[in-house]
Amino acid sequence: MIGEQFPWLTFLVIFPLLAAMPIPVLPDEDGKTIRWYALGASLAEFGLILYVFTTQYELGSAGLQLVEEFSWIPQFGLSWSLAVDGLSFPLVLLSGLVTTLAIIASWNIKLKPRLYYSLMLLIFSAQLGVFLAQDMMLFFIMWELELVPVYLLISIWGGQKRQYAATKFIIYTATCSVFILVVALALAFSAGGFSFNLSELAAKEYSLPFQLICYLGLLIAFGAKLPIFPLHTWLPDAHSEAPAPVSMILAGVLLKMAGYGLIRMNISILPDAHLYFAPVLAVLGVINIVYASLTAFAQDNLKRRMAYSSIAHMGFVLVGLAAFNSLGMSGAMLQMISHGLVAAVLFFLSGVAYERTHTLSMEKMGGLGKAMPIAFAFFTAGAMASLALPGMSGFIAEITVFLGMATSDAYNVFFKAGVVLLAAVGVVLSPIYLLSMLRNIFYGEQGEVKLPKDSSWEILPREAFVAVCLLVPIIGIGLYPKVAIQTYSAKTVQVAARIQTTLPDVPDAAPLSKVMMMPGAEQIIAPSL
Amino acid sequence: MESAEAIYQYAWIIPVLPLLGAAIVGSGLISYNEATNKLRKPVAAFIVSLIGAAMTLSILILVSQLQGHAPYTYLLEWASAGDFQINMGFTIDHITSLMLVIVTTVAFLVMIYTDGYMAHDPSYVRFYAYLSLFSSSMLGLVVSPNLLQVYVFWELVGMCSYLLIGYWYDRDGAADACQKAFVTNRVGDFGLLLGMLGLFWATGTFEFDLMGSRLTDMVSMGTISGGLAALFAILVFMGPMAKSAQFPLHVWLPDAMEGPTPISALIHAATMVAAGVFLIARMYPVFEHIPTVMSVIAWIGTITAFLGASIAITQNDIKKGLAFSTMSQLGYMVMAMGVGAYSAGLFHLMTHAYFKAMLFLGSGSVIHGMEEVVGHDPALAQDMRLMGGLRKYMPITAITFLIGTLAISGLPPFAGFWSKDEILGSVFAVNPVMWAIGWLTAGATAFYMFRMYFSTFEGEFRGNDMEARTRVKLQSLQMAGASMGPGAMSAQELEVSSSAHESGDHHHAEKPHESALSMTFPLMMLAIPSTLIGLVGTPFANYFEAFIHPAGEALTVAEIAEEFDMNEFVRMAGASVAISVAGIILAVLMYRARKIDPAAIAKKIKPLYNLSLNKWYIDDIYREVFIKGTRNLAKGVLNVDVKIVDGIVNLTGFVTLVTGEGLKYFENGRAQFYALIVFGAVLGLVFVSGLT
């Protein structure tokens, strides 16, 4: 077995980068070789991910697996350290799927295809690097590495205001990500020993004020990326200008890096600070949900509306993380996976609509259902998934977050009730903005955009393939969520158990019925009608 | 015994069969659209036979339950986190087996009917796929063993309803209606979700019985206040309020009539809208111990029953009239549940499912016939002012519609009499005021139903009266214009008179014809239960109540019969028959014998007439308050986002940029600046941590 020695994860991270190397010199006479080459490379990479994960990874174990560590620049204490566990596993799969499909979705890129596909492959490497890195400095490098291609992809292949959007994107995320570096240095230097290794950092004991400051720094860094109100305004601009495949990756995977960072660093390394910040996360999450849902409803630009919808959905991740128990943690993870798939399919389909109508203004569209009935069906399915229809992945994610918050023992009843109530307002608002989106685009009579009489606008088999590849896991997870949950649950249970220990003595069981059985249990004061 | 067990183990097949049909046809439509669309009859036959198989299985299960076999529950771990798990599965008991049979029989007949009704529709195949998907979700709902699974299928039937109301998606009316239906139902589901979470927080379970018993214990022990328990229960009740079109969340149901008529019969009369009543029945272990909640439920039902009937009186659109009637009848069921008449409420659910499905299918047959004369314009084909005298042309439709009318009016021995009488009897024992409202509503019901019957089937045929057509068309445009605002109106108005004449000129027929056998056969089949099924629940031999009762209140037929008091029955039944007959006589005088002029009465009570015609202005109020309110709020928030939040951050960005530019003069490029920040920050952190 070479599996024992062969550095599979290193190979996975480096392979797309290596594959991108020869692109500038490949012969490309008819303009088709490059895209086939890029597709081949990403398919090979995705296949490898699947192969490695099915043969080498053991589900249900909470610890790190396939650990690889090489000293890289010992002077700085930097090591090339990769490993996979329950948090990385589903997100690596997600990024493999979404990036590969984004390359298929980029089939008609005419402008500078060599650079475009090289950048796509570079993002692929960087994403895997972020999710697999076990060294905080390496994590930071990978995080930064992913910013550059996204900046270029928006600023070269974007829409009218691409420069503005790309600059805003880079300023926001680069500025805020400085905090990752700062905190990494601070953590490494303090409390004895010098190492960037995440497990070692998590094992150290830090003083509470120090933890709080570091937590805040990381929260700003990840908050800009997730994004959290009020650091979210780059996202609608970036999405409305980015080409659809870039939006797929941006919403589908890159936002998840922030959620991943919150669990991997804020919660795992700084659990004591999490106790203090969790209510803040809950409040921010609720603001994300309600505020972004309302803003989404007021948007006329299709992709801006979906960008705000992404912000709202990421609010559930925050609420889940704030719940302080394994249910909430599980819901947050599931929401990330689910939103990755749902946002990818919706952004992809909006690209399909844009290629045909040449507008993103929903006001100008109308009656598209007649011209593209199958695209209409996919779009409806995507919108239903996004509004958390049962039978699709979003429902189980959101209901788990709700249950986690409702049974959380970290808050008093009023706080919990308030959070649940306001988050549930999002459940009413999401169909309002999503169904009115469908209404404006597909229903009714022809709008300003003239429709063809024939079926020339109908979705192409290639496009249908992309949509189906995303919808199948959405429905699969919706029908049998254990498929997705088992990939990470051992790890989230462990993380939740760790933070539970920071709670000042509370009864271990959440449901009131069990509390009730305990003699002398405190009575819950409830408002009477 | 063994064979019964085997049936129960395979009961999950019942919802899965139609799901399979929908999945196969749906993927066919997506991958080989044109080829699948050509397979009209094979697809219809396939879907109908699947639901037929499900129906057979359901009947076997009902028979087995009638023989007294024990209930059966199967659970499967669906999702888990830590030591917490969510189970899904199915349960077979009395009420489930009854609901299974109601749903499958109505669905089966509606699907046969669809073949005739949708014969000329280009998306015939898609319609069958949706129907099958709906049946599957509805069957999944009735077999659900816990509240969470009910919620899952609850939302799924809502989605199917959305797809089917918006089936003709190029029509603006349908497009608006489906959105309204979904959002209104989500408002109800918002309450259901919160109530469900609250109950789970309190009791730690989603099982109906456990939830009820634990909550009762906790309230009696004082662990949780009675007010909070009542609040949770009322939040849960918001779900049924939306789904069963109860005031104030009823507004979606009349608009839902934009969907094709088979849908109105199946979803918006017989099955889905009754799901709310079903959920109240399931939640009985929780509700029945909280008197506040029971009286809220009863009063909401009473108000809805009256409201629906009062609006139905003035409607001219045959389907809208039936929709308000459905709302009113659902009000009766909810009222019954609220006063504790559990089995009476479900009895009315059953009888209503059959006779209302028949009435809707009958109206579909009428519309189909009218379209031959006035063209495919819902505003004309569904307006009763253009009908009349149809009995001559469509005798089967007329007779079955009359049976339905008699049943809903509550005349013995038709089905509606027994169930409605049982409800009114139980209500009288609890609250005479409520009874009086219900009793008056019964009179109004008889009146508007006979008004509908006479305007449609008796007298002279008015479909060829061009002036009437123009008038109706104009009015419908004005109604649409009023809701859309001024603007595009005048030009359309000019066109109307010409187009109305024109469409009349080259329309195929002068006279409507009876519909095809595929449509009349389901009508005839439904006429049987509409006439006879009430006999299983007569007060002197109430087999229904012996079978369907809340847990722990089992009584045999003989025991129920012992409680029966002939004098009281005669008094109560006499009163309700009397008011129905009064309503019918009034309808005869106004719309058959024409002794009283309805227009003159309308003029005399103009404000009341307008109140009813405009649906108590509830839609207008909601439009002003909620729809415009949400829009304005959203716009306001967007303004804040663009001008303030984004503005501040952009300003910060500008400052950074300026300082960055400035720094360039001092240092060489950004890298140093970057390093400087990092260094400064690290220094600061180390400093701070050193201090503490």
Side-chain angles (χ1 to χ4, degrees):
Chain A
M1 269 301 280
I2 54 164
E4 293 299 315
Q5 293 87 30
F6 190 78
W8 277 114
L9 297 182
T10 306
F11 187 66
L12 284 180
V13 172
I14 295 180
F15 178 75
L17 195 63
L18 290 178
M21 296 289 181
I23 286 186
V25 293
L26 274 185
D28 184 30
E29 281 158 25
D30 50 357
K32 286 179 184 164
T33 322
I34 300 284
R35 67 189 190 193
W36 279 108
Y37 174 79
L39 175 62
S42 62
L43 276 177
E45 169 77 4
F46 187 46
L48 270 174
I49 294 174
L50 289 177
Y51 169 74
V52 173
F53 280 9
T54 45
T55 57
Q56 318 280 324
Y57 184 80
E58 187 198 339
L59 280 177
S61 146
L64 294 173
Q65 302 187 34
L66 299 170
V67 182
E68 291 163 18
E69 189 159 8
F70 312 101
S71 187
W72 193 9
I73 311 176
Q75 291 87 335
F76 298 149
L78 178 62
S79 62
W80 175 271
S81 165
L82 301 176
V84 56
D85 67 359
L87 298 178
S88 317
F89 182 91
L91 294 172
V92 168
L93 278 182
L94 178 73
S95 70
L97 178 68
V98 171
T99 315
T100 308
L101 292 175
I103 286 178
I104 304 180
S106 314
W107 218 233
N108 292 329
I109 293 287
K110 295 279 184 302
L111 181 70
K112 299 184 189 170
R114 286 173 200 274
L115 181 57
Y116 182 91
Y117 289 111
S118 308
L119 291 174
M120 288 299 250
L121 289 174
L122 180 58
I123 299 188
F124 207 156
S125 275
Q127 287 168 33
L128 296 195
V130 167
F131 291 132
L132 293 174
Q134 293 304 321
D135 183 283
M136 199 159 171
M137 200 51 87
L138 182 63
F139 174 88
F140 173 71
I141 292 170
M142 289 296 178
W143 181 281
E144 295 290 298
L145 191 63
E146 149 275 317
L147 295 182
V148 183
V150 176
Y151 170 75
L152 291 174
L153 283 167
I154 297 176
S155 66
I156 299 176
W157 287 272
Q160 298 278 314
K161 288 166 65 188
R162 54 180 180 266
Q163 277 308 334
Y164 172 75
T167 311
K168 199 167 177 180
F169 165 77
I170 201 80
I171 288 180
Y172 264 79
T173 41
T175 312
C176 293
S177 60
V178 173
F179 287 99
I180 302 179
L181 181 62
V182 176
V183 173
L185 289 170
L187 289 175
F189 276 114
S190 64
F194 177 74
S195 165
F196 289 115
N197 187 291
L198 290 174
S199 314
E200 286 175 34
L201 292 180
K204 288 191 197 174
E205 295 279 338
Y206 308 100
S207 70
L208 185 62
F210 180 75
Q211 281 206 32
L212 289 175
I213 294 168
C214 291
Y215 194 105
L216 181 67
L218 289 176
L219 187 61
I220 294 173
F222 297 136
K225 193 87 178 182
L226 192 69
I228 300 177
F229 173 90
L231 299 172
H232 65 277
T233 53
W234 63 272
L235 187 77
D237 285 314
H239 271 308
S240 61
E241 298 306 318
V246 179
S247 286
M248 284 170 74
I249 297 182
L250 187 57
V253 187
L254 301 193
L255 305 187
K256 310 314 170 282
M257 291 173 16
Y260 171 81
L262 283 175
I263 305 180
R264 175 73 78 198
M265 288 161 202
N266 290 40
I267 297 178
S268 303
I269 300 182
L270 309 164
D272 298 317
H274 185 56
L275 180 63
Y276 290 85
F277 271 100
V280 179
L281 289 189
V283 170
L284 288 172
V286 164
I287 293 178
N288 258 29
I289 294 170
V290 176
Y291 178 90
S293 297
L294 282 170
T295 327
F297 183 46
Q299 292 290 347
D300 176 49
N301 181 305
L302 172 58
K303 286 178 81 183
R304 288 187 88 90
R305 181 170 290 199
M306 287 194 302
Y308 277 106
S309 136
S310 287
I311 301 173
H313 282 101
M314 297 317 277
F316 280 100
V317 175
L318 291 177
V319 175
L321 295 182
F324 243 87
N325 52 23
S326 59
L327 261 178
M329 198 70 72
S330 170
M333 266 312 273
L334 200 51
Q335 176 74 348
M336 288 204 276
I337 300 167
S338 159
H339 179 260
L341 298 165
V342 174
V345 73
L346 280 176
F347 275 113
F348 167 69
L349 289 168
S350 65
V352 169
Y354 178 72
E355 278 179 21
R356 286 154 176 79
T357 59
H358 302 290
T359 179
L360 284 173
S361 163
M362 288 185 279
E363 202 111 290
K364 293 185 182 154
M365 301 186 207
L368 255 64
K370 275 264 185 269
M372 36 201 307
I374 296 174
F376 178 25
F378 286 139
F379 224 117
T380 307
M384 288 295 165
S386 183
L387 60 79
L389 187 84
M392 301 205 177
S393 55
F395 168 74
I396 181 69
E398 289 184 14
I399 197 83
T400 315
V401 168
F402 274 121
L403 285 170
M405 189 36 94
T407 56
S408 171
D409 33 13
Y411 308 103
N412 72 31
V413 180
F414 297 107
F415 185 81
K416 276 199 298 196
V419 169
V420 168
L421 180 79
L422 288 171
V425 169
V427 172
V428 179
L429 290 175
S430 61
I432 293 181
Y433 65 75
L434 285 164
L435 297 186
S436 64
M437 173 182 89
L438 291 179
R439 165 79 179 87
N440 283 339
I441 303 176
F442 292 102
Y443 285 84
E445 282 158 21
Q446 173 176 291
E448 213 171 287
V449 174
K450 293 284 164 279
L451 304 177
K453 291 269 177 283
D454 54 8
S455 60
S456 59
W457 275 19
E458 187 50 286
I459 195 165
L460 303 169
R462 170 180 63 83
E463 296 164 332
F465 174 77
V466 174
V468 168
C469 283
L470 290 163
L471 285 169
V472 165
I474 290 174
I475 295 173
I477 295 173
L479 292 180
Y480 196 58
K482 270 187 90 173
V483 184
I485 294 174
Q486 66 183 4
T487 62
Y488 62 75
S489 66
K491 179 69 187 175
T492 51
V493 167
Q494 190 197 43
V495 175
R498 167 93 197 265
I499 53 172
Q500 287 268 333
T501 59
T502 66
L503 278 181
D505 54 63
V506 282
D508 54 283
L512 200 58
S513 52
K514 290 186 195 164
V515 179
M516 195 182 82
M517 309 306 172
M518 294 170 61
E522 232 188 334
Q523 283 208 358
I524 305 250
I525 300 127
S528 56
L529 276 182
Chain B
M1 189 61 206
E2 238 174 48
S3 67
E5 279 292 312
I7 297 177
Y8 291 170
Q9 275 165 18
Y10 290 102
W12 54 269
I13 293 179
I14 296 174
V16 169
L17 278 177
L19 179 67
L20 205 67
I24 292 172
V25 177
S27 30
L29 276 175
I30 282 173
S31 37
Y32 300 99
N33 191 282
E34 276 176 36
T36 315
N37 264 322
K38 278 189 193 127
L39 295 173
R40 295 163 78 94
K41 294 290 164 183
V43 165
F46 174 57
I47 299 275
V48 172
S49 41
L50 284 178
I51 198 80
M55 179 174 76
T56 316
L57 204 50
S58 305
I59 292 173
L60 287 176
I61 286 175
L62 177 65
V63 169
S64 153
Q65 282 289 303
L66 281 169
Q67 286 167 348
H69 288 297
Y72 178 89
T73 302
Y74 176 83
L75 291 176
L76 173 96
E77 187 188 301
W78 188 59
S80 62
D83 51 359
F84 172 85
Q85 50 171 290
I86 299 175
N87 292 321
M88 292 279 156
F90 63 91
T91 190
I92 299 294
D93 57 8
H94 289 185
I95 175 166
T96 295
S97 60
L98 176 76
M99 290 298 291
L100 282 177
V101 170
I102 296 175
V103 174
T104 48
T105 45
V106 177
F108 181 69
L109 291 171
V110 165
M111 284 187 189
I112 294 175
Y113 177 93
T114 298
D115 174 58
Y117 191 80
M118 303 299 280
H120 305 294
D121 196 282
S123 306
Y124 176 94
V125 172
R126 177 166 63 99
F127 193 74
Y128 268 102
Y130 285 174
L131 270 181
S132 205
L133 186 62
F134 169 76
S135 311
S136 169
S137 316
M138 188 66 209
L139 292 167
L141 173 65
V142 301
V143 300
S144 297
N146 59 46
L147 185 56
L148 186 70
Q149 192 177 337
V150 166
Y151 184 83
V152 165
F153 287 101
W154 188 266
E155 289 258 298
L156 286 177
V157 289
M159 180 213 47
C160 294
S161 159
Y162 167 81
L163 292 175
L164 282 160
I165 297 169
Y167 174 75
W168 285 310
Y169 50 79
D170 49 341
R171 294 185 186 169
D172 281 324
D176 294 334
C178 64
Q179 202 183 325
K180 184 172 177 180
F182 198 98
V183 173
T184 314
N185 273 293
R186 258 290 160 101
V187 174
D189 293 354
F190 163 79
L192 177 55
L193 175 70
L194 289 177
M196 191 169 86
L197 290 171
L199 287 172
F200 182 78
W201 164 75
T203 63
T205 178
F206 288 121
E207 311 286 323
F208 301 106
D209 295 336
L210 272 180
M211 230 185 233
S213 58
R214 285 191 191 164
L215 196 70
T216 319
D217 288 350
M218 293 172 76
V219 171
S220 60
M221 283 171 65
T223 328
I224 183 173
S225 81
L228 198 60
L231 177 70
F232 291 154
I234 287 174
L235 282 170
V236 169
F237 175 61
M238 272 180 78
M241 229 147 93
K243 196 76 58 203
S244 291
Q246 299 297 300
F247 173 82
L249 295 177
H250 64 278
V251 288
W252 66 274
L253 184 62
D255 291 31
M257 297 301 127
E258 291 286 344
T261 308
I263 291 318
S264 312
L266 176 62
I267 302 187
H268 303 122
T271 58
M272 186 189 84
V273 289
V277 181
F278 171 76
L279 179 59
I280 301 176
R282 276 290 186 220
M283 289 297 292
Y284 233 60
V286 174
F287 289 168
E288 69 178 335
H289 302 294
I290 313 175
T292 334
V293 176
M294 291 298 267
S295 57
V296 167
I297 293 176
W299 274 111
I300 292 278
T302 314
I303 294 169
T304 309
F306 179 74
L307 187 73
S310 74
I311 299 172
I313 287 175
T314 57
Q315 296 301 309
N316 289 315
D317 181 314
I318 186 167
K319 280 182 74 183
K320 286 257 162 86
L322 284 173
F324 281 108
S325 149
T326 303
M327 176 184 150
S328 169
Q329 298 299 311
L330 289 165
Y332 274 114
M333 295 173 212
V334 171
M335 172 170 43
M337 300 314 271
V339 298
Y342 178 95
S343 75
L346 289 168
F347 187 31
H348 198 55
L349 187 161
M350 175 174 81
T351 58
H352 176 259
Y354 289 114
F355 66 67
K356 190 48 77 60
M358 182 175 71
L359 284 169
F360 262 114
L361 294 184
S363 78
S365 173
V366 167
I367 294 165
H368 210 249
M370 286 295 290
E371 279 176 345
E372 290 176 34
V373 183
V374 300
H376 289 270
D377 182 346
L380 296 176
Q382 299 182 10
D383 201 292
M384 290 189 287
R385 284 168 292 183
L386 300 179
M387 298 175 184
L390 293 179
R391 186 165 51 93
K392 268 176 284 179
Y393 312 112
M394 340 178 70
I396 301 176
T397 308
I399 290 170
T400 51
F401 202 93
L402 181 62
I403 292 174
T405 307
L406 289 165
I408 194 173
S409 302
L411 292 186
F414 293 96
F417 166 75
W418 303 104
S419 51
K420 194 185 283 184
D421 190 63
E422 197 180 333
I423 292 178
L424 287 176
S426 317
V427 172
F428 186 75
V430 174
N431 188 334
V433 180
M434 228 179 247
W435 172 83
I437 299 173
W439 180 72
L440 277 175
T441 306
T445 308
F447 171 73
Y448 70 70
M449 282 312 296
F450 272 90
R451 167 181 178 262
M452 198 179 276
Y453 174 76
F454 289 134
S455 323
T456 309
F457 293 101
E458 302 294 338
E460 289 299 311
F461 183 58
R462 300 178 288 272
N464 291 314
D465 181 348
M466 288 305 157
E467 266 176 50
R469 268 197 217 179
T470 315
R471 208 167 51 235
V472 167
K473 183 71 194 166
L474 262 179
Q475 214 174 37
S476 79
L477 274 178
Q478 267 163 4
M479 294 280 252
S483 61
M484 286 190 287
M489 275 275 301
S490 47
Q492 272 181 316
E493 265 182 59
L494 290 174
E495 280 172 32
V496 168
S497 50
S498 56
S499 72
H501 283 290
E502 194 190 337
S503 61
D505 286 340
H506 53 107
H507 256 285
H508 345 276
E510 279 288 294
K511 290 174 183 123
H513 294 282
E514 181 60 282
S515 305
L517 181 66
S518 61
M519 289 168 71
T520 49
F521 170 74
L523 288 176
M524 292 184 282
M525 293 313 290
L526 284 168
I528 299 169
S530 300
T531 314
L532 300 176
I533 204 152
L535 299 175
V536 303
T538 59
F540 20 89
N542 201 336
Y543 295 97
F544 189 87
E545 192 173 339
F547 183 58
I548 300 284
H549 50 73
E553 291 177 29
L555 288 173
T556 63
V557 176
E559 282 166 343
I560 301 167
E562 254 173 52
E563 287 175 15
F564 171 64
D565 176 355
M566 192 65 186
N567 284 331
E568 200 193 317
F569 171 70
V570 169
R571 239 182 301 132
M572 294 303 301
S576 44
V577 170
I579 188 129
S580 296
V581 171
I584 295 170
I585 291 173
L586 192 62
V588 170
L589 290 175
M590 283 167 77
Y591 298 97
R592 181 74 187 99
R594 305 252 164 218
K595 293 274 196 258
I596 306 173
D597 182 14
I601 297 183
K603 230 174 231 164
K604 259 187 208 160
I605 49 162
K606 193 86 182 163
L608 280 181
Y609 177 78
N610 278 341
L611 186 69
S612 163
L613 189 66
N614 292 302
K615 308 159 197 170
W616 292 49
Y617 300 100
I618 292 171
D619 279 277
D620 304 83
I621 296 169
Y622 284 4
R623 190 179 309 117
E624 288 303 318
V625 178
F626 296 115
I627 302 184
K628 290 199 177 154
T630 316
R631 270 181 210 285
N632 290 339
L633 181 63
K635 275 191 196 132
V637 174
L638 181 64
N639 267 332
V640 170
D641 195 57
V642 172
K643 295 198 176 127
I644 301 177
V645 180
D646 198 24
I648 289 176
V649 185
N650 272 2
L651 190 70
T652 332
F654 177 71
V655 171
T656 326
L657 212 66
V658 169
T659 25
E661 290 294 312
L663 277 171
K664 262 187 192 168
Y665 294 100
F666 297 99
E667 321 210 9
N668 243 337
R670 293 239 173 96
Q672 281 90 336
F673 175 53
Y674 207 71
L676 187 74
I677 297 181
V678 172
F679 185 71
V682 172
L683 213 65
L685 260 179
V686 172
F687 182 65
V688 169
S689 56
L691 277 182
T692 49

